Amino acid sequence: MALIDLVVEKIVKIPLESQDKPDILRELVRILKDAGEIDDFDAVLQGVQDREDKQSTGLEQGIAVPHCKSAAVSSLKLAIGIAPQGIDFDSMDGQPTNLFFLLIASPGLSGPHVEALAEIAKLSRSKAVCKALVHAESAQEVVELLKGS
Amino acid sequence: MSNPIKRIMVYVDGTEQSVTAAQYAICLASFSGAELIAYYVINTRAVEDLLKARIFLKDEQVEYEHDMEADAERYLNYINELAVKKGVSVIKKRSRGSVHREIVDSIEADDVDLLVIGELSRIRSRRDEFFDETERAMRAVSCSVLIVKDEDRVWEMYESLV
């Protein structure tokens, strides 16, 4: 399944309510739980936190890509969260983070996981798209922006 | 007129769509007598890009490449099992690099007449950022391409193959 197929309104949240990194991770995983995409909330959250403990996935220009492999999922799972106010996420450039792309993959799907992360990386280099996403007012608008419709 | 399809390549990436494509390719090889190649590309190009973008750590790069090697072995063996059940021989092939580039090069090197791939996303984003490696290969290869759809129908066809 292509990354674009995963972009639906129920996996997008605007605005994120949390104010710090641990709560943001929890809120992102909660999006997947509430959308019925995962069953084991704790296992997925633990996987994401373990990866963040090695090094923050907060990149430059307000983007973060928390990710992990988890046996708690059988296919690729994506959640998108937007915090227009910006959150301290230990980013590389020290700037607040606004856009969060959470990606979880099952251990047997490393290839599709890598390709999905590469698509997000490419998207994150487009300043115009990122700016439009941060200023989006609804999940529907985010879906429309990403699908280019 | 001799059989116009002497060599078929099916691209396998671990997705359900690619397994369905493989079942179809096995049927096609059985009916036509064509040689069948099952091909998996370990996408080291994307992993390197992720390391450069600092999304991956060095140990993640090593881990994911190792996992993809294992996935390649597992999926190619699975396709081989599907083929053997139906009395079809499969040449298992894998390489490392950029997926679409490797497919294009392999089609040329192996003189493939037909590339068989799984169903593509029905959503076509206008954003260049969302690209599909298989779709890029489909557009770039020199041979004809067959896109396999309708998983249930293909499964029935595969199952009915003696």
Side-chain angles (χ1 to χ4, degrees):
Chain A
M1 178 177 273
L3 184 69
I4 193 71
D5 291 317
L6 303 177
V7 180
V8 291
E9 286 182 36
K10 68 176 181 178
I11 57 92
V12 179
K13 187 171 183 184
I14 307 178
L16 291 169
E17 294 158 13
S18 305
Q19 299 298 320
D20 60 31
K21 185 171 181 175
D23 285 348
I24 284 283
L25 293 176
R26 200 169 290 114
E27 194 174 357
L28 288 166
V29 177
R30 175 60 61 187
I31 295 171
L32 292 178
K33 177 72 175 168
D34 291 347
E37 296 290 331
I38 59 168
D39 292 323
D40 194 339
F41 175 88
D42 292 335
V44 173
L45 180 60
Q46 189 63 53
V48 175
Q49 283 174 335
D50 287 347
R51 169 60 185 83
E52 286 299 319
D53 288 345
K54 290 180 186 171
Q55 183 176 297
S56 177
T57 58
L59 309 175
E60 293 168 318
Q61 298 181 44
I63 294 157
V65 191
H67 62 270
C68 73
K69 286 181 288 186
S70 173
V73 300
S74 58
S75 61
L76 209 53
K77 303 293 179 189
L78 171 72
I80 300 171
I82 297 176
Q85 75 278 19
I87 304 290
D88 180 1
F89 204 76
D90 299 327
S91 63
M92 279 194 295
D93 61 3
Q95 296 300 306
T97 303
N98 309 101
L99 283 177
F100 298 87
F101 295 91
L102 173 71
L103 200 62
I104 314 293
S106 68
L109 282 174
S110 296
H113 189 188
V114 162
E115 283 172 26
L117 282 169
E119 286 180 65
I120 293 171
K122 201 170 180 192
L123 183 77
S124 72
R125 289 198 288 270
S126 170
K127 287 182 183 175
V129 176
C130 293
K131 191 175 176 184
L133 287 172
V134 171
H135 288 94
E137 292 182 352
S138 67
Q140 183 188 359
E141 193 178 338
V142 169
V143 172
E144 287 173 359
L145 277 166
L146 291 176
K147 290 187 173 172
S149 58
Chain B
M1 184 181 156
S2 62
N3 182 2
I5 304 173
K6 294 187 173 56
R7 193 168 288 166
I8 299 168
M9 175 181 283
V10 59
Y11 175 62
V12 183
D13 63 4
T15 59
E16 288 175 15
Q17 292 88 344
S18 73
V19 173
T20 300
Q23 289 171 332
Y24 194 99
I26 290 165
C27 294
L28 210 52
S30 177
F31 296 144
S32 67
E35 198 171 60
L36 179 60
I37 301 169
Y39 190 44
Y40 190 108
V41 180
I42 296 152
N43 195 346
T44 52
R45 170 67 188 272
V47 175
E48 285 162 12
D49 287 347
L50 290 172
L51 189 66
K52 275 187 209 157
R54 299 196 204 174
I55 291 174
F56 267 4
L57 305 167
K58 184 66 188 170
D59 64 351
E60 272 182 305
Q61 179 191 23
V62 173
E63 181 189 336
Y64 273 76
E65 287 190 5
H66 179 268
D67 286 354
M68 287 192 287
E69 290 278 2
D71 287 352
E73 183 73 17
R74 190 169 68 253
Y75 287 119
L76 289 175
N77 284 339
Y78 179 60
I79 301 308
N80 188 54
E81 283 173 25
L82 289 174
V84 167
K85 277 183 195 168
K86 302 298 177 183
V88 173
S89 299
V90 174
I91 300 166
K92 295 185 290 180
K93 184 176 177 182
R94 69 169 108 167
S95 64
R96 298 162 63 92
S98 163
V99 172
H100 77 278
R101 195 66 257 165
E102 291 296 315
I103 293 174
V104 169
D105 291 348
S106 191
I107 292 280
E108 293 291 326
D110 294 330
D111 200 16
V112 170
D113 302 302
L114 181 69
L115 172 66
V116 178
I117 59 175
E119 187 170 7
L120 301 168
S121 171
R122 294 184 184 199
I123 302 165
R124 179 83 183 101
S125 173
R126 292 213 302 268
R127 299 219 168 278
D128 292 340
E129 294 85 359
F130 289 113
F131 61 92
D132 184 293
E133 286 282 349
T134 313
E135 190 175 332
R136 290 180 81 178
M138 175 197 76
R139 294 179 190 283
V141 291
S142 55
C143 69
S144 298
V145 181
L146 192 151
I147 301 173
V148 178
K149 298 188 178 187
D150 199 340
E151 181 184 344
D152 293 341
R153 192 172 172 185
V154 173
W155 174 251
E156 279 177 25
M157 186 171 72
Y158 170 80
E159 281 294 289
S160 66
L161 191 65
V162 180

